[in-house]
Amino acid sequence: MFFIEVVLPLSLAKTFTYRVSEAEFHFIKKGMRVAVPFGKSKIYTGLVLDVHQNEPGLYEAKEIHQILDENPIATEIQIKHWLWVANYYMCGIGDVYRGAFPSGLLLESETTISHKTDVRVNDSELSDDEFLVYEALQHQSSLKVQDIISILNKKNIFPILQKMISKDIIVLEEEIKENYKPKLIRYVKLHSQYESDSGLGQLLEVLKNANKQKEIVLAYFQLSASEKKPITVKKLVEVSNSTSTVVKALIEKEIFEEYYLQHDRVSFDGKASEEFLQLSAAQELAFNQIKENFTQKEVCLLHGVTSSGKTEIYIKLIEEYLTLGKQVLYLLPEIALTTQLVSRLRLHFGDKVAVFHSKYSNNERVEVWKQTLENADKAQIVIGARSALFLPFANLGFLIVDEEHEQTFKQTDPAPRYHARDSAIVLANFHNAKVLLGSATPSIETYFNTQAEKYGLVTITERYNNVRMPEILLVDLKDKHFRKRMTGHFSDVLIEEIAEALSLGEQVILFQNRRGYSPIIECMTCGHVPHCQQCDVSLTFHKHKNQLRCHYCGYSIAKPSHCHACSSIDLTTKGFGTEQIEQELLSLFPKAKTGRMDQDTTRGKFGFEKIIDTFKNREIDILVGTQMLAKGLDFENVSLVGIMNADNMLHHPDFRAFERSYQMMTQVAGRAGRSEKQGKVVIQTYNPNHNTIQQVTNNNYMGMYKEQLYDRQIYKYPPYFRIIKLTLKHRDFDKLKEGSFWLYQVLSQNLKMPVLGPEEPAISRIRNEYIRTIMIKIPQNLPLGSTKKTIQKMLNSFEAVAQYRAIKVVINVDFY
């Protein structure tokens, strides 16, 4: 008897055993995909984790359907890393597999219905609906479930199909589709009989009356003379200002021949520049210190102030690892950053750079996956957001985690809820590779690890080319309101600074960490605020679309003309978002061109590129945006940065609020004055003497670090304690309350550590589900593994209680 262990792309914690024949047993290797039946009639793509001869005791092993690969498509190190992620972040291995694989490689079964050919059917015995289905199957060999729903115009068609199956008229098949197709591009070449000189005269004779066709042929000759490379139909049509129908006519006349070539979707045609990258003295010193650190330590932190030229140091290090024949992984927190960086790296390394993130299509991701697995030239350097961590690296030597403090490295939903920085360090360990973390404002945990000498530390304190750090002006909003020196949300200081920057032809960035026009619409008569029906939040007003939207579930209503509670028409908006800032700018600076960068304006694959490019090309004077702007973007003409309101970040109910505010403000400020002239930053706040704001003003990272560490130790937070957060959700308020209390008591009785809860979070209902949270704080000196096992046991017993089974429990390890 021969068996394989398979992981399925479902949220399941265990693997499943399937039976294979002896020939299959010898052919199958770990990391291949197999199509396997699961449940009553579904077929899934499973990944083989092991090949063995142990029969399962609890169930009869089913046979596999088919083997989908000739060679493994995932590597052993990769699978080992997935198992670590599943174990550490307490989620099913199926979750990791589904999250890691591009969905183009995960085939889902699609049910098809076809009719039995050898059966005689008496039409009069069929109902109207059955007859429609039967008739449709006479014209088509098979139909999808979706097709039948549209033919009958009904949602529930299964009873009808069930009857037809029992009458033995139709059969259901589960078929599997490979949905990755290589991209083919259509080319043309001249038919061989016209290639000689005499052939050309003959050709013009044939076409003497067909002017449009003659134009295309002449354009073809022009192109082939100037370009010495195959000519695509698209190019030919463009150059000759014609249409593809004319080309088709020429193919039918056998003047042109058409042929197809397979193209990689993500290709780069430019040349790598041969220029030698010259490091400044400070960069050179840091570069050598990093290499020195790597001789003793696996991980090193590069703590360089904003605009100190960290990217050039990365490029130099990448060069060294490429000469050793190693692959390099470069992780970034935000897709917006990859766009700017890819162009910088491609200038340097040409087409050795591959990009992998969720805005790429399925097929493009499958291509990068295969190139990485084969260690192809095109994927020597992989740049991506956190998901690039799961690619099948053949020979990984070096990982860079840029802006390592960013919270976007932590995945919140769905599982696996992993932290890309921490998982990258483990992956590097499996590959014996080195990790470089880079940031101007490192996270407290990382800096703590450097102080404990677990990681190396290299610091750069000056900006590249000795550009001065920006000058920071604090504006006291309380005082400005009192003296009536505010215009909308702009203080007189900020207006003057913007006017000056614009008059000098410089650009301005304004930061406001809220999208939309205003977060609250309130009735002045009775105080009613419209809330989302499914979540406990007020609706945000979006003026451009004239609607109120929920930023949690997407629910929206038209803007009310009167109060829903008392019908008063006296409604006012409170608070402000990026849209309102943009509107106010139009009235304050009607001549300036403004742009906005937030989730609403960057939808679509090239949303970021468009805005970043127009700003870089100086087509926009003032850019308003949310925290997307705070990441390491590089614009040389920005001389002024305005932070509209520094307080809403500080007063967030979160133990990391001060650390995050410091990081966010320092990063935004770092966008100013990146070339010769010193930049300016205007921070508007109601609380100018707040410690964190003072630390930003004086660029005092150590002050912030020490103050936060002191607090964290007293209140039992990371880095002294590890936090596991359990989130419980259910539609029934009372059942949730009772269940969460039961779980809390079991946990606090069995764990010798602080367990807090069950707490109602600030937003206690999302999408009609009530929420309760429990926090478990694990001290550094207790073993993490055995504590997690104990927690898992208690969660299993919680699930075993019948009345609590419907409560969803989400586990978030190392909660961010």
Side-chain angles (χ1 to χ4, degrees):
M1 299 282 270
F2 301 98
F3 299 99
I4 54 173
E5 270 316 296
V6 168
V7 53
L8 296 173
L10 301 168
S11 188
L12 298 166
K14 51 177 187 281
T15 55
F16 294 86
T17 310
Y18 283 86
R19 203 165 71 233
V20 290
S21 67
E22 187 171 352
E24 287 171 333
F25 178 81
H26 293 301
F27 177 75
I28 291 178
K29 295 183 183 64
K30 288 183 192 179
M32 282 186 180
R33 292 173 306 154
V34 286
V36 293
F38 187 74
K40 279 189 181 153
S41 60
K42 283 276 193 226
I43 294 172
Y44 288 102
T45 306
L47 188 76
V48 181
L49 293 194
D50 203 7
V51 185
H52 59 80
Q53 290 184 307
N54 317 326
E55 191 169 354
L58 297 172
Y59 54 89
E60 177 78 24
K62 292 183 180 179
E63 288 192 1
I64 64 168
H65 241 271
Q66 65 191 92
I67 301 171
L68 297 173
D69 295 307
E70 289 177 12
N71 294 306
I73 197 162
T75 67
E76 294 214 8
I77 290 188
Q78 202 183 4
I79 293 170
K80 188 173 158 191
H81 186 236
W82 293 355
L83 290 165
W84 177 85
V85 169
N87 178 25
Y88 186 87
Y89 291 105
M90 296 173 79
C91 60
I93 177 69
D95 285 320
V96 186
Y97 167 49
R98 192 185 53 210
F101 251 65
S103 45
L105 294 170
L106 289 179
L107 317 168
E108 286 289 314
S109 61
E110 283 188 75
T111 309
T112 21
I113 291 106
S114 47
H115 70 107
K116 285 199 166 176
T117 40
D118 46 357
V119 179
R120 298 286 314 258
V121 177
N122 182 353
D123 296 356
S124 58
E125 285 177 10
L126 300 178
S127 69
D128 293 352
D129 284 342
E130 288 170 4
F131 181 72
L132 282 171
V133 175
Y134 175 68
E135 196 183 37
L137 283 169
Q138 300 302 315
H139 301 294
Q140 259 174 302
S141 59
S142 67
L143 289 170
K144 294 267 186 321
V145 171
Q146 212 42 51
D147 304 334
I148 294 178
I149 290 177
S150 49
I151 291 169
L152 299 180
N153 205 1
K154 284 187 177 173
K155 277 269 166 60
N156 189 6
I157 58 156
F158 288 111
I160 300 160
L161 296 179
Q162 220 53 58
K163 274 188 196 141
M164 293 180 78
I165 292 170
S166 61
K167 290 181 184 169
D168 209 25
I169 303 167
I170 59 169
V171 283
L172 296 188
E173 303 169 37
E174 289 281 334
E175 70 167 1
I176 268 195
K177 281 230 172 55
E178 177 76 79
N179 39 11
Y180 168 67
K181 294 187 186 68
K183 183 177 181 183
L184 296 173
I185 290 189
R186 190 163 151 228
Y187 290 88
V188 284
K189 62 174 190 240
L190 204 58
H191 214 282
S192 50
Q193 70 189 60
Y194 296 116
E195 276 184 343
S196 63
D197 290 346
S198 61
L200 179 59
Q202 214 180 324
L203 179 62
L204 293 172
E205 186 59 38
V206 175
L207 293 176
K208 66 172 183 249
N209 297 329
N211 280 333
K212 283 197 167 170
Q213 294 179 9
K214 194 154 58 180
E215 273 173 27
I216 284 207
V217 172
L218 290 171
Y220 174 85
F221 280 113
Q222 263 178 328
L223 278 171
S224 58
S226 64
E227 287 206 0
K228 300 280 180 286
K229 65 177 186 189
I231 294 164
T232 62
V233 173
K234 191 175 163 201
K235 186 84 185 255
L236 191 57
V237 170
E238 269 172 26
V239 171
S240 58
N241 280 334
S242 184
T243 60
S244 50
T245 27
V246 187
V247 178
K248 196 174 165 201
L250 284 164
I251 292 168
E252 281 164 6
K253 281 190 178 175
E254 293 197 341
I255 291 171
F256 278 156
E257 283 179 83
E258 63 176 343
Y259 63 102
Y260 290 88
L261 289 179
Q262 187 176 329
H263 254 245
D264 281 337
R265 288 178 163 75
V266 189
S267 64
F268 169 71
D269 306 325
K271 273 271 181 283
S273 73
E274 302 298 317
E275 273 180 53
F276 183 69
L277 189 68
Q278 197 58 52
L279 295 185
S280 69
Q283 285 173 319
E284 190 69 50
L285 181 67
F287 173 68
N288 292 325
Q289 284 175 335
I290 290 168
K291 288 204 308 197
E292 213 170 287
N293 267 307
F294 279 156
T295 54
Q296 290 126 21
K297 296 191 170 74
E298 304 306 306
V299 185
C300 178
L301 168 67
L302 173 60
H303 179 198
V305 294
T306 52
S307 189
S308 55
K310 293 187 280 290
T311 313
E312 282 86 3
I313 300 175
Y314 300 156
I315 290 176
K316 269 295 208 230
L317 285 159
I318 291 173
E319 277 176 0
E320 299 222 337
Y321 281 93
L322 288 186
T323 51
L324 299 172
K326 296 281 192 187
Q327 285 172 306
V328 175
L329 171 62
Y330 193 140
L331 288 182
L332 287 155
E334 182 83 55
I335 296 171
L337 280 177
T338 54
T339 31
Q340 255 205 343
L341 194 84
V342 170
S343 46
R344 276 178 82 172
L345 286 185
R346 283 198 169 152
L347 268 175
H348 212 82
F349 298 108
D351 60 359
K352 288 184 180 164
V353 183
V355 187
F356 188 87
H357 58 62
S358 59
K359 285 257 165 87
Y360 274 128
S361 73
N362 246 323
N363 291 343
E364 290 166 336
R365 285 196 269 175
V366 171
E367 261 160 28
V368 175
W369 183 278
K370 291 187 169 161
Q371 288 162 357
T372 316
L373 184 67
E374 290 155 12
N375 202 356
D377 284 345
K378 285 188 171 169
Q380 292 303 296
I381 306 166
V382 179
I383 300 185
R386 54 177 185 252
S387 54
L389 194 65
F390 292 126
L391 284 167
F393 291 99
N395 185 10
L396 187 63
F398 183 45
L399 286 91
I400 297 169
V401 184
D402 199 10
E403 308 293 347
E404 65 81 28
H405 62 277
E406 274 298 335
Q407 66 206 60
T408 35
F409 276 130
K410 171 80 171 159
Q411 168 139 329
T412 44
D413 273 310
R417 294 175 180 79
Y418 63 100
H419 196 298
R421 175 195 62 212
D422 303 344
S423 309
I425 290 170
V426 175
L427 179 67
N429 195 8
F430 290 158
H431 277 280
N432 290 327
K434 302 290 184 193
V435 184
L436 181 63
L437 308 175
S439 173
T441 52
S443 70
I444 285 181
E445 287 83 340
T446 302
Y447 206 79
F448 184 76
N449 281 331
T450 64
Q451 300 302 300
E453 302 208 343
K454 202 166 144 190
Y455 300 168
L457 172 65
V458 174
T459 313
I460 311 180
T461 50
E462 60 180 68
R463 285 182 141 192
Y464 185 66
N465 270 348
N466 286 335
V467 172
R468 284 179 301 169
M469 293 296 279
E471 173 194 353
I472 296 183
L473 307 173
L474 290 183
V475 175
D476 185 346
L477 288 176
K478 245 189 341 248
D479 183 58
K480 292 293 177 195
H481 274 293
F482 180 68
R483 295 173 189 276
K484 306 235 176 334
R485 294 216 177 133
M486 296 289 292
T487 313
H489 294 99
F490 289 82
S491 61
D492 52 354
V493 179
L494 184 53
I495 293 174
E496 277 164 29
E497 293 292 348
I498 294 176
E500 188 184 330
L502 293 177
S503 67
L504 294 170
E506 292 159 351
Q507 288 167 297
V508 179
I509 286 179
L510 296 177
F511 172 78
Q512 170 58 12
N513 211 3
R514 271 230 177 97
R515 60 193 170 103
Y517 184 84
S518 113
I520 292 174
I521 283 197
E522 186 181 34
C523 165
M524 294 304 279
T525 315
C526 70
H528 172 75
V529 174
H531 271 63
C532 172
Q533 291 183 339
Q534 315 175 43
C535 314
D536 268 348
V537 283
S538 61
L539 295 171
T540 305
F541 174 38
H542 285 246
K543 193 164 190 175
H544 171 60
K545 291 190 169 162
N546 203 31
Q547 55 175 209
L548 303 181
R549 292 186 71 90
C550 170
H551 284 180
Y552 284 84
C553 69
Y555 166 81
S556 64
I557 56 172
K559 185 195 174 201
S561 53
H562 55 269
C563 170
H564 291 162
C566 71
S567 302
S568 153
I569 51 168
D570 193 5
L571 301 177
T572 176
T573 59
K574 289 201 165 167
F576 63 107
T578 45
E579 229 183 284
Q580 192 166 345
I581 299 298
E582 195 184 18
Q583 291 258 298
E584 289 183 11
L585 282 170
L586 292 176
S587 57
L588 286 167
F589 303 102
K591 288 190 181 149
K593 290 195 183 68
T594 57
R596 168 161 68 92
M597 182 165 157
D598 54 31
Q599 248 184 322
D600 302 322
T601 59
T602 51
R603 301 204 185 274
K605 182 169 173 183
F606 297 109
F608 294 116
E609 279 97 325
K610 283 181 198 146
I611 296 174
I612 289 174
D613 285 347
T614 45
F615 192 61
K616 220 174 168 52
N617 302 340
R618 307 188 183 183
E619 290 162 37
I620 296 178
D621 301 316
I622 307 175
L623 183 60
V624 183
T626 56
Q627 77 269 14
M628 292 178 180
L629 290 173
K631 318 282 163 49
L633 296 169
D634 188 21
F635 305 114
E636 55 228 31
N637 192 36
V638 174
S639 65
L640 175 68
V641 167
I643 296 176
M644 299 305 299
N645 182 349
D647 305 325
N648 57 6
M649 298 180 277
L650 287 172
H651 303 313
H652 215 272
D654 171 17
F655 72 91
R656 281 196 171 80
F658 291 167
E659 176 191 358
R660 292 238 172 104
S661 302
Y662 177 86
Q663 288 166 342
M664 189 87 80
M665 284 189 264
T666 306
Q667 292 285 350
V668 176
R671 303 307 118 224
R674 293 174 78 95
S675 46
E676 287 69 69
K677 189 184 156 197
Q678 184 181 18
K680 267 190 187 162
V681 181
V682 175
I683 301 180
Q684 300 195 143
T685 166
Y686 285 99
N687 201 345
N689 294 326
H690 192 288
N691 270 356
T692 307
I693 289 180
Q694 287 298 325
Q695 286 152 0
V696 172
T697 313
N698 303 322
N699 198 19
N700 180 7
Y701 176 81
M702 283 312 288
M704 185 277 299
Y705 169 73
K706 285 181 175 144
E707 184 188 350
Q708 291 309 306
L709 263 194
Y710 179 71
D711 282 357
R712 302 269 179 102
Q713 193 160 12
I714 296 175
Y715 297 114
K716 301 191 165 68
Y717 279 115
Y720 299 104
F721 282 74
R722 286 264 172 74
I723 292 187
I724 295 182
K725 179 180 171 195
L726 305 178
T727 308
L728 292 88
K729 301 178 183 175
H730 196 277
R731 286 176 166 241
D732 180 335
F733 182 81
D734 295 321
K735 186 177 271 187
L736 174 71
K737 188 175 168 184
E738 189 189 322
S740 55
F741 205 76
W742 185 94
L743 182 61
Y744 163 72
Q745 287 189 308
V746 174
L747 287 166
S748 51
Q749 280 158 14
N750 290 295
L751 294 171
K752 304 278 175 279
M753 59 189 73
V755 179
L756 310 178
E759 182 56 54
E760 275 188 67
I763 294 161
S764 59
R765 184 175 61 115
I766 293 178
R767 292 199 174 89
N768 272 333
E769 290 184 313
Y770 290 98
I771 304 170
R772 288 287 171 110
T773 57
I774 296 174
M775 284 246 224
I776 304 162
K777 296 182 171 180
I778 307 172
Q780 284 290 30
N781 54 6
L782 285 186
L784 195 60
S786 55
T787 308
K788 281 184 190 162
K789 278 189 187 128
T790 316
I791 294 171
Q792 192 60 59
K793 270 186 202 149
M794 285 178 263
L795 288 171
N796 295 345
S797 58
F798 177 68
E799 215 167 273
V801 181
Q803 75 248 40
Y804 302 147
R805 191 163 298 143
I807 298 177
K808 277 189 224 153
V809 182
V810 171
I811 311 168
N812 194 340
V813 178
D814 288 349
F815 161 64
Y816 259 65

